[in-house]
Amino acid sequence: MLPTDGFLGSEFEARVERAQTLMAAEKLDGLLLTFGDNIRYFTGVDADLGASLARPWFVVVPASGAPIAIVPSLAEGLMRKTWIQHIRSWPSPRPEDEGTTLVVDALASLPRRFGRVASEFGLETRIGLPLSQLNEIIKSLSGVELVDGASLIWSLRMIKSDAEVAKIQRATDIAAAVFAQVPHFVHLGDSERMIHQRFRIKLLEEGASGVGLTCRAGPGGPSVVTAGSVSDRRIADGDLLYLDTGVTHDHYFCDYDRNYQVGRASDALLFAHERVWEAHEAGLRAAVPGKTAGNIFEEMAKVLSSGRRDLNSNGRMGHGLGLRVTEPPSVKVGDNTVLRPGMVLCIEPALEYEPGKIVLHEETVVVMDEGARLITPRTPRELPQII
Amino acid sequence: MLPTDGFLGSEFEARVERAQTLMAAEKLDGLLLTFGDNIRYFTGVDADLGASLARPWFVVVPASGAPIAIVPSLAEGLMRKTWIQHIRSWPSPRPEDEGTTLVVDALASLPRRFGRVASEFGLETRIGLPLSQLNEIIKSLSGVELVDGASLIWSLRMIKSDAEVAKIQRATDIAAAVFAQVPHFVHLGDSERMIHQRFRIKLLEEGASGVGLTCRAGPGGPSVVTAGSVSDRRIADGDLLYLDTGVTHDHYFCDYDRNYQVGRASDALLFAHERVWEAHEAGLRAAVPGKTAGNIFEEMAKVLSSGRRDLNSNGRMGHGLGLRVTEPPSVKVGDNTVLRPGMVLCIEPALEYEPGKIVLHEETVVVMDEGARLITPRTPRELPQII
């Protein structure tokens, strides 16, 4: 067992093999990876100190053969503990050549069949180095063109192995254990800040590593469901309390929310809750191989409001999940990604049933041959209460 | 008081004014910001869900006048709570035009004096959108060239206001309160994982938001001091336990470490600890306006080993601190950044006194007219013990 999130070397070998199959189809000589998630996907580690921008990392996956990691001296020891055999490093920081020469050399040494190497340029990707450094690399390459590899990368990462699904399940179980305790440690009159703090402490107690949490409440529902500063507002009778957590376990995310009625709930809120719950049923039924991500949205939109398609400012009702808390595809009209076994999706119907009152439910599923299997415990049909 | 990390609007106005002074000197019509930290620097909020790559944010700071925020619909409500007056948004996600048109329009509408707008291309910056989208923006601009603004951005961000220093001080105080308890909650035989968990729970109890922590131990010292998976190794007699924490408060980081001798310490370890402590004294004395970041390194290197300059694989012995856990400058030979009042620096002399045994001390200072003022409580000269 490698010290890389508890995966076996065979997990990474399988990923490289799948990548190489796709590279052959897309006429590529290799992949150049610079962004943390993608480096982790192939090696099991990344800069992690995502927080520091001083020292870029690189991985080159050739069209055949083993990957090459090019990392700052600081990270060499860590990389040597992984399954990666080919490791090159430079004394970093060294702004005048922060790995540039090593990367250019590695790309120039790839067996040249097509003269094309793909990198992280397109949809829902980022480059993990300064743009000016990337431009230097591009300028120094001769006979090798860097092209967009986003669709290849997401084709790979969208399909999770059983080992990856198990990580997401574990992260979800950690969060579920804390959600189950909410009615015991949250009470009418507590501030959002107090709830936020207690919830995150319990996540750590349950063994989470990352402890992202959004905590929002408002009369009849929160008015926004996005992250942002926690407030000192105290939850009051008639509120809907919304808790949405992105716990990580071995760098894989869970992402799901729960709603709690604080004291009494209006009929309008209970009706909206029921409507969203039913829309969810329709969405879960639609998450089967062969349908598209957009189909899930359409089925839920039908239930939510007879076909209205702009139901909340999120612009979508779900997304992929894995090493990122949101990954492609988007559960929205126009996303024609065909669902395939191994995809892990967060499905989140939402309704702003009155201006500034949002009800949003989120569940995670893995697409299986026979349909969606829930990873989250299904939200109770009856809204749980906090007193 | 705005809900933006507790800063007043005047804090942001002052930042914009400083930016505009620099823009005039560098003949720029504006700044285009896409990366979370820089967006937060001018608005007080950012995507935060740094975790999601689906929806880029943009801020345009014109050479004169007020900034314009261009954000996904999801974030419009949040942005309206900040000091920003000019807000534009689009229904997102919309991969075919993820804000591109709005950004091009905003840049085209800037009063044109120089035809140059600076963005995040250079040293220790990243772009906060897919490269292919940036290329589309560049292609759609006519008469406006995007140039590198890294040195301008860091000139600004390197100098902290009193309000920023207070945030860093608060984050540091939170961590200090937990460090002070370590000998009470850590004992010989505890695993790194247990220590890691307890320390982070205490950080939350003390009011931290981000709770980054590296926990490493080894006989006579850890062999690596970088982040990475936590191990189940139990600390044993003769170990040096190294804890390095990057707590955040209102998105500002602290970054400092503490070392603890577990049971007995060898003479060699005690000697190395003393040597590093003395090097720190020299480094702290050198952190005065007019000297350079490189000078601090040189003074410490003299004490550590009569001028040896490659003392550990980190490649430097310190860095700036603020909205990122590492910011320019680098405390290393060759970094000629002149120290100025308001700079916050982590100074970290380190010695690998035997192969695989590292002693690294880290303190944070703010550079003042009269010299360095410590933000961290100074590491005790005598190594604290865990029993």
Side-chain angles (χ1 to χ4, degrees):
Chain A
M1 196 77 88
L2 300 161
T4 48
D5 298 343
F7 286 124
L8 299 169
S10 55
E11 171 79 14
F12 299 107
E13 284 163 9
R15 294 176 186 181
V16 168
E17 201 183 305
R18 289 176 56 220
Q20 291 174 334
T21 303
L22 291 170
M23 279 189 249
E26 298 196 17
K27 300 197 188 311
L28 294 167
D29 292 338
L31 288 179
L32 170 64
L33 305 166
T34 64
F35 193 72
D37 298 355
N38 294 324
I39 288 172
R40 178 169 290 280
Y41 189 74
F42 285 107
T43 67
V45 293
D46 69 35
D48 218 3
L49 359 110
S52 176
L53 304 177
R55 302 178 182 94
W57 292 29
F58 307 88
V59 167
V60 175
V61 184
S64 68
I68 304 150
I70 302 168
V71 295
S73 43
L74 178 77
E76 205 187 330
L78 183 62
M79 193 56 83
R80 293 218 176 277
K81 295 186 183 173
T82 72
W83 80 291
I84 299 290
Q85 303 280 323
H86 304 301
I87 300 167
R88 299 171 194 170
S89 72
W90 73 97
S92 172
R94 190 179 64 189
E96 65 278 16
D97 180 5
E98 207 64 88
T100 302
T101 303
L102 290 174
V103 171
V104 170
D105 287 351
L107 295 176
S109 310
L110 289 175
R112 196 154 316 164
R113 286 192 56 203
F114 306 109
R116 287 155 38 93
V117 168
S119 193
E120 304 129 315
F121 297 163
L123 184 75
E124 296 198 36
T125 66
R126 297 289 184 275
I127 55 170
L129 76 171
L131 180 58
S132 52
Q133 187 185 0
L134 179 67
N135 284 336
E136 247 178 86
I137 292 172
I138 291 172
K139 232 174 46 193
S140 307
L141 289 173
S142 104
V144 181
E145 191 194 359
L146 287 189
V147 300
D148 180 28
S151 75
L152 184 155
I153 289 165
W154 287 122
S155 293
L156 275 177
R157 286 180 49 195
M158 265 199 285
I159 308 297
K160 270 72 183 178
S161 69
D162 291 348
E164 289 183 287
V165 173
K167 301 284 183 199
I168 296 169
Q169 182 71 62
R170 174 77 187 114
T172 302
D173 291 347
I174 289 169
V178 178
F179 274 128
Q181 302 169 53
V182 165
H184 305 293
F185 70 79
V186 176
H187 304 289
L188 215 149
D190 291 345
S191 71
E192 288 178 19
R193 190 180 308 279
M194 289 158 63
I195 298 165
H196 188 259
Q197 184 187 41
R198 282 181 211 149
F199 195 105
R200 298 210 306 155
I201 288 172
K202 287 189 184 288
L203 287 173
L204 289 179
E205 287 171 351
E206 294 289 339
S209 49
V211 290
L213 176 71
T214 299
C215 171
R216 301 250 182 240
S223 57
V224 287
V225 289
T226 43
S229 333
V230 185
S231 91
D232 285 308
R233 182 179 175 281
R234 289 173 183 278
I235 59 171
D237 189 43
D239 276 4
L240 185 69
L241 170 65
Y242 166 85
L243 294 165
D244 185 12
T245 186
V247 171
T248 58
H249 172 70
D250 287 345
H251 300 89
Y252 281 82
F253 276 92
C254 81
D255 179 20
Y256 76 104
D257 75 0
R258 284 300 177 258
N259 290 272
Y260 302 85
Q261 105 185 42
V262 183
R264 287 159 299 182
S266 70
D267 288 346
L269 168 57
L270 293 175
F271 184 79
H273 172 81
E274 175 73 16
R275 179 58 64 96
V276 174
W277 197 91
E278 283 169 357
H280 228 159
E281 291 291 299
L284 294 170
R285 277 194 303 271
V288 294
K291 294 227 183 196
T292 67
N295 292 153
I296 301 176
F297 184 102
E298 286 158 356
E299 292 304 317
M300 296 196 291
K302 273 186 217 162
V303 180
L304 286 170
S305 67
S306 340
R308 218 183 110 207
R309 283 183 172 190
D310 183 26
L311 299 155
N312 65 83
S313 63
N314 281 2
R316 62 180 179 183
M317 294 199 287
H319 52 78
L321 179 72
L323 284 171
R324 278 274 130 185
V325 71
T326 84
E327 296 183 352
S330 280
V331 177
K332 72 185 289 281
V333 174
D335 190 318
N336 300 316
T337 307
V338 176
L339 304 182
R340 290 167 55 201
M343 285 187 180
V344 175
L345 298 173
C346 295
I347 300 179
E348 38 183 332
L351 195 59
E352 190 165 356
Y353 70 98
E354 284 176 26
K357 296 183 200 300
I358 298 172
V359 176
L360 185 156
H361 293 182
E362 186 171 20
E363 308 281 15
T364 305
V365 298
V366 53
V367 178
M368 313 275 283
D369 282 324
E370 60 278 15
R373 179 172 74 72
L374 275 164
I375 286 181
T376 44
R378 181 77 174 98
T379 302
R381 186 159 196 159
E382 194 167 335
L383 194 55
Q385 193 184 24
I386 280 166
I387 47 176
Chain B
M1 195 76 85
L2 300 161
T4 47
D5 299 343
F7 287 123
L8 299 169
S10 55
E11 171 79 14
F12 299 107
E13 284 162 10
R15 294 175 185 181
V16 168
E17 202 183 304
R18 289 176 57 219
Q20 290 174 336
T21 302
L22 291 170
M23 279 190 251
E26 298 196 15
K27 301 197 188 312
L28 294 167
D29 292 337
L31 288 180
L32 170 64
L33 305 165
T34 64
F35 192 73
D37 298 354
N38 295 324
I39 288 172
R40 178 169 290 279
Y41 188 76
F42 284 107
T43 67
V45 294
D46 70 37
D48 219 2
L49 1 107
S52 176
L53 304 177
R55 302 178 181 94
W57 292 29
F58 308 88
V59 167
V60 175
V61 184
S64 66
I68 304 150
I70 302 168
V71 295
S73 44
L74 176 80
E76 204 186 332
L78 183 62
M79 193 57 82
R80 292 216 177 280
K81 295 185 182 172
T82 72
W83 80 291
I84 299 291
Q85 303 281 323
H86 304 299
I87 301 167
R88 299 170 195 169
S89 73
W90 74 99
S92 171
R94 190 179 64 188
E96 65 277 16
D97 180 5
E98 206 64 87
T100 302
T101 303
L102 290 174
V103 171
V104 170
D105 287 352
L107 294 177
S109 309
L110 289 176
R112 194 152 321 163
R113 285 191 58 205
F114 306 108
R116 285 154 40 93
V117 168
S119 193
E120 303 131 315
F121 297 163
L123 183 76
E124 296 198 37
T125 66
R126 296 289 185 274
I127 56 171
L129 76 170
L131 179 58
S132 53
Q133 187 185 359
L134 180 67
N135 284 337
E136 248 179 83
I137 291 172
I138 290 173
K139 231 171 51 191
S140 307
L141 290 172
S142 104
V144 181
E145 189 194 0
L146 286 190
V147 299
D148 179 28
S151 75
L152 184 155
I153 289 165
W154 287 121
S155 292
L156 275 176
R157 286 179 51 195
M158 264 199 286
I159 308 297
K160 270 72 183 178
S161 69
D162 292 347
E164 289 183 287
V165 173
K167 302 283 183 201
I168 296 170
Q169 182 72 60
R170 174 79 186 110
T172 303
D173 291 347
I174 289 169
V178 179
F179 274 128
Q181 301 169 53
V182 165
H184 305 295
F185 70 80
V186 177
H187 303 287
L188 215 149
D190 291 345
S191 71
E192 288 178 19
R193 190 180 309 277
M194 289 158 65
I195 299 165
H196 188 258
Q197 183 188 41
R198 283 182 210 148
F199 195 104
R200 297 211 304 157
I201 288 172
K202 288 190 184 286
L203 287 173
L204 289 179
E205 287 171 351
E206 295 288 340
S209 50
V211 289
L213 176 69
T214 300
C215 172
R216 300 256 182 235
S223 57
V224 287
V225 290
T226 44
S229 333
V230 185
S231 90
D232 285 308
R233 183 180 175 281
R234 292 176 180 273
I235 59 171
D237 188 43
D239 276 3
L240 185 68
L241 169 65
Y242 166 85
L243 294 165
D244 185 12
T245 186
V247 171
T248 58
H249 172 71
D250 288 346
H251 299 90
Y252 282 82
F253 276 91
C254 80
D255 180 20
Y256 76 103
D257 74 1
R258 285 299 178 258
N259 290 273
Y260 302 85
Q261 103 186 42
V262 183
R264 287 159 300 180
S266 68
D267 288 346
L269 167 58
L270 293 175
F271 184 79
H273 172 81
E274 175 73 17
R275 178 60 64 95
V276 173
W277 196 91
E278 282 169 358
H280 229 159
E281 290 292 299
L284 295 169
R285 276 193 305 269
V288 294
K291 293 226 183 197
T292 67
N295 292 153
I296 301 176
F297 184 101
E298 287 158 354
E299 292 304 317
M300 295 196 292
K302 273 185 216 163
V303 179
L304 286 170
S305 67
S306 338
R308 221 182 111 207
R309 282 182 171 188
D310 182 26
L311 299 154
N312 64 85
S313 63
N314 282 1
R316 61 181 180 183
M317 293 198 288
H319 51 79
L321 179 74
L323 284 170
R324 279 274 129 184
V325 70
T326 83
E327 296 184 352
S330 280
V331 176
K332 71 186 288 281
V333 174
D335 191 318
N336 299 318
T337 306
V338 176
L339 304 182
R340 289 167 55 200
M343 286 188 180
V344 175
L345 299 173
C346 295
I347 300 179
E348 40 183 330
L351 195 57
E352 190 165 357
Y353 70 99
E354 285 175 26
K357 297 183 198 299
I358 298 173
V359 176
L360 186 158
H361 294 182
E362 186 171 20
E363 308 281 14
T364 304
V365 299
V366 53
V367 178
M368 314 276 282
D369 282 323
E370 61 278 17
R373 178 171 74 72
L374 274 165
I375 287 180
T376 43
R378 183 74 174 98
T379 303
R381 185 158 197 161
E382 194 166 337
L383 194 55
Q385 192 184 24
I386 281 166
I387 46 176

